[in-house]
Amino acid sequence: MSSTNAPHRPAARLRLRSLTGLRLLPGARPRARTLAGAAALALAATGVAAFLPTAPASAARVEVTCAAAGQDAAVMQAAIDGSHDGDEVVFKGPCLINATITLLDRRTYRGDGKAGTVIKQADGANLPAMLASESWVNDAEYSSDTVRVERLTLDGNRDNNTGTVGLMLRSWNARIYDVDVYGAPSDGIRISNPSKNGTLLQNTMVNSIISDADIEGSGGAGLRVVDPGNSVTDWTFQRSWIGFSGASAIESDNAAGWTFSDLHLYATPKHAIDAHRCFGTSIQNNYIEDFGAEGTAGQTYYGIRCDLQGEAATTVTGNRVHRFLPPPDVLATYGKARKLGIGPFPRARRLTGAPPRDAKYVYLALDEVNYGTGHAAVTGNTILGQGVKRETGMLFKKGQGEGMSVVTSGNLVDNIDDPRVTGPGVRLSHGY
């Protein structure tokens, strides 16, 4: 089901361009200046106020050297606060923080490599977030913009803290590359419409990328999208790993316009990919080792789950979905390897114990249409079950919607009790 009762469509986005190619967004900040000349006159005719961020005289590299001591957070924040639009802020670790680091807009935040820059939460700090977008910290009504974070490790120190998100994003045009998030007490990376005090966005938070990330040992989800409105659309999450989470690997309130691709998801207690409000969504070429490892009686667990919106088509293509189920001590074993500075130990590729009574496992599900008729192509997926009861390979149901139209072809479903379950009002075809 959608997380709200009303139908949600991707929010309208203002994409007017001036003669200089400027991208205009609603809610420009006071630090902007108005356009002059023909461009301003052209936009004035439309009744739209045009703003352009004041360009810095020149971008600078701001270096921050940590001491792995209690004052690191203050030193890091002072350097950020003294920087300017366009600057690159470089953290030299290891860093030990006892306060949330606020990421100001239009800057790059970089480490000297994931091993060279490790930012760790101090014991008992219990921060709401380790690194967070400016608009989230300041409870703004408009999203931050153009934040880039790369080449560093965030250590949430989960054994000695509670409730902390590793990286809290509330920025459009964000770029997150080559980042490790380990042991966040809450979600590893959270993309949040609500600010710190719950203020909701009046604009969108779109056109962003998370790539080449390794998110391990989070107490909550590896990646969590919180969007009670309709602002967090059109992101790409690709070429990344999520393992040993406390809940789902990916949990998204709003997957409209998203691409989830080339992900490796494993050691997952709940769902591997649980995506809501799929609208032009692409879920492709992902390797899911397992899901539903907690096996609570009476619960249903999903490898890939996507409820559909009307009006746009979604594709679920080329995924490999399994349920190897790791042993109970897998996180402790991984943590030991990490402390030793070596790769994880091999995992057994087998079912460890019988599933509890009445727990159900669905490998791929389109199980709801939130409004109108949902459209999806489900092709070329490989599903391999454990050969036990209460497993479903593919599930298609329209729920409260008017109907569902699905192209399903070229899927391999083996060793599954119910290979495919199709509800009333669902039209299946092999395409053209």
Side-chain angles (χ1 to χ4, degrees), residues 37-49:
L41 291 174
L43 288 169
T46 69
V48 177

Side-chain angles (χ1 to χ4, degrees), residues 361-411:
Y361 303 90
V362 181
Y363 285 69
L364 192 160
L366 306 179
D367 63 345
E368 183 77 38
V369 176
N370 297 315
Y371 65 88
T373 298
H375 299 82
V378 180
T379 59
N381 300 283
T382 302
I383 295 170
L384 182 59
Q386 290 286 348
V388 297
K389 297 292 185 181
R390 300 179 301 281
E391 286 190 321
T392 300
M394 297 189 295
L395 172 65
F396 303 121
K397 293 172 58 179
K398 75 177 184 66
Q400 66 185 1
E402 295 174 10
M404 179 186 290
S405 176
V406 179
V407 166
T408 174
S409 63
N411 299 294

Side-chain angles (χ1 to χ4, degrees), residues 286-363:
N286 301 297
Y287 173 30
I288 296 172
E289 284 195 22
D290 49 61
F291 61 97
E294 70 178 13
T296 302
Q299 296 296 311
T300 300
Y301 300 97
Y302 298 91
I304 296 174
R305 181 191 188 191
C306 194
D307 58 59
L308 303 177
Q309 310 287 74
E311 303 177 326
T314 285
T315 58
V316 183
T317 305
N319 301 284
R320 287 86 65 204
V321 190
H322 311 80
R323 194 169 66 86
F324 296 134
L325 290 183
D329 63 346
V330 66
L331 178 57
T333 303
Y334 175 76
K336 178 182 177 181
R338 191 175 183 93
K339 288 177 182 178
L340 293 173
I342 61 176
F345 297 101
R347 291 180 51 207
R349 297 294 191 265
R350 59 185 176 81
L351 182 66
T352 55
R357 184 179 180 182
D358 296 331
K360 297 180 181 179
Y361 303 90
V362 181
Y363 285 69

Side-chain angles (χ1 to χ4, degrees), residues 215-236:
I215 308 170
E216 309 276 5
S218 302
L223 177 72
R224 178 78 172 95
V225 178
V226 180
D227 190 10
N230 193 30
S231 293
V232 191
T233 66
D234 306 292
W235 283 57
T236 292

